Amino acid sequence: VQSTAIAALIVDGKLPKPALAYMTDCGWESEAAWEYVYGETIPRLRAVGVDLQIIKSFDYTDTCRLVDDSGNVAIPAYQARDGQVVKFRTHCNAGWKVNVARRWLREQGVKRCENWIGISRDEARRAHSSPLLWCQNRYPLIELGMSREACLFYLGAAHWPMPPRTSCIICPQRDNESWLMMREKQPRDWARAVAAEELIQQVRPDVFLHSSLVPLSKVVFSGTIKHKRSQREEGVAKI
Ligand code: SF4
């Protein structure tokens, strides 16, 4: 939503045209996200002379792996530790996206730049300054005082279709409604997410994509969690 709002602001001339525009593809975007990017974002930006480039993360890093040889998991997945459900630290965003983008920018000959990032006012805590002098972060939506709601309103008013969620289909930072939606409406994405979890569990059987610590394919998305632990032992979680 936020990145699309930036694109719409550029198309409308409310933000200046950037010298370069990119989106990283770490291989886990949803089919709907690509349909939107290729069907809406790229053509609309191209119409005003901005060429949105898709950077394949695998071309710029060999660390686009869910689990490394030592069993370290890249994504914020879940594990039981000392009777508690804990979430791993996120390494994927830096490894699969941020560092990839910086390498790509260098490859384009960029010596110094402002890197615009689609974070809205309501998410301002996620905004931070870059440690790199040559590549400073800038947050146009925060500067414009735009919340996510305001982005949605702007997109609607500018006649852009509502963009789908663009986080990875395997991202464990997803609520139940979103998992359920994927399972019901995007079966190919769902199958990939289930397969990715199985791949992780070949190396780390103790790691799960869902916070109930139940394999994704067995999570029952109905009701509320009451007895997480016993449900886990049964292999079923009521969510
Ligand atoms: S969306 Fe989730 S899995 Fe994908 S890079 Fe971001 S934190 Fe990692």
Side-chain angles (χ1 to χ4, degrees):
V1 166
Q2 285 85 346
S3 300
T4 308
I6 289 183
L9 289 160
I10 292 168
V11 169
D12 292 347
K14 298 207 162 68
L15 284 174
K17 290 182 205 167
L20 293 167
Y22 68 84
M23 174 176 170
T24 45
D25 173 12
C26 66
W28 296 110
E29 289 290 345
S30 67
E31 289 183 350
W34 288 125
E35 266 169 37
Y36 192 93
V37 168
Y38 282 103
E40 301 291 339
T41 317
I42 289 179
R44 287 173 187 247
L45 282 170
R46 189 171 290 144
V48 296
V50 176
D51 188 16
L52 179 66
Q53 312 255 347
I54 308 298
I55 313 169
K56 298 272 180 205
S57 299
F58 280 102
D59 292 342
Y60 293 87
T61 178
D62 56 3
T63 59
C64 268
R65 294 166 61 192
L66 297 170
V67 194
D68 69 15
D69 293 337
S70 312
N72 298 312
V73 179
I75 61 176
Y78 300 96
Q79 179 196 37
R81 208 179 291 160
D82 301 328
Q84 302 279 325
V85 177
V86 292
K87 188 167 75 167
F88 290 104
R89 286 187 61 189
T90 306
H91 298 289
C92 38
N93 190 51
W96 300 354
K97 297 187 172 185
V98 178
N99 296 340
V100 162
R102 287 172 181 162
R103 278 179 208 133
W104 179 80
L105 287 166
R106 284 299 208 196
E107 194 182 85
Q108 309 311 302
V110 172
K111 301 261 183 313
R112 211 172 174 85
C113 66
E114 278 178 350
N115 192 33
W116 294 0
I117 300 172
I119 288 182
S120 50
R121 196 187 61 195
D122 48 299
E123 310 175 312
R125 67 190 181 287
R126 291 177 54 213
H128 54 83
S129 55
S130 164
L132 302 176
L133 268 182
W134 72 271
C135 182
Q136 287 294 299
N137 294 342
R138 194 154 167 199
Y139 300 93
L141 299 173
I142 295 177
E143 290 172 22
L144 291 167
M146 288 177 72
S147 63
R148 185 175 191 277
E149 288 249 314
C151 292
L152 285 167
F153 184 81
Y154 187 87
L155 287 169
H159 306 291
W160 285 61
M162 284 303 110
R165 187 185 170 111
T166 55
S167 63
C168 299
I169 55 171
I170 53 164
C171 189
Q173 300 182 135
R174 178 182 288 275
D175 60 24
N176 290 320
E177 195 187 345
S178 173
W179 280 122
L180 188 58
M181 202 72 149
M182 192 200 298
R183 193 185 73 186
E184 301 303 313
K185 307 274 184 211
Q186 295 133 6
R188 284 191 294 265
D189 290 343
W190 171 259
R192 288 187 69 210
V194 168
E197 185 184 56
E198 287 168 0
L199 204 67
I200 294 171
Q201 289 172 345
Q202 284 174 17
V203 185
R204 292 289 306 268
D206 57 326
V207 171
F208 298 83
L209 296 192
H210 194 269
S211 58
S212 60
L213 306 188
V214 170
L216 213 45
S217 59
K218 294 200 172 118
V219 177
V220 177
F221 297 101
S222 65
T224 50
I225 297 176
K226 287 198 178 114
H227 305 293
K228 195 183 282 184
R229 197 174 173 80
S230 60
Q231 283 159 351
R232 184 166 74 239
E233 283 155 4
E234 290 166 16
V236 173
K238 284 204 184 295
I239 310 299

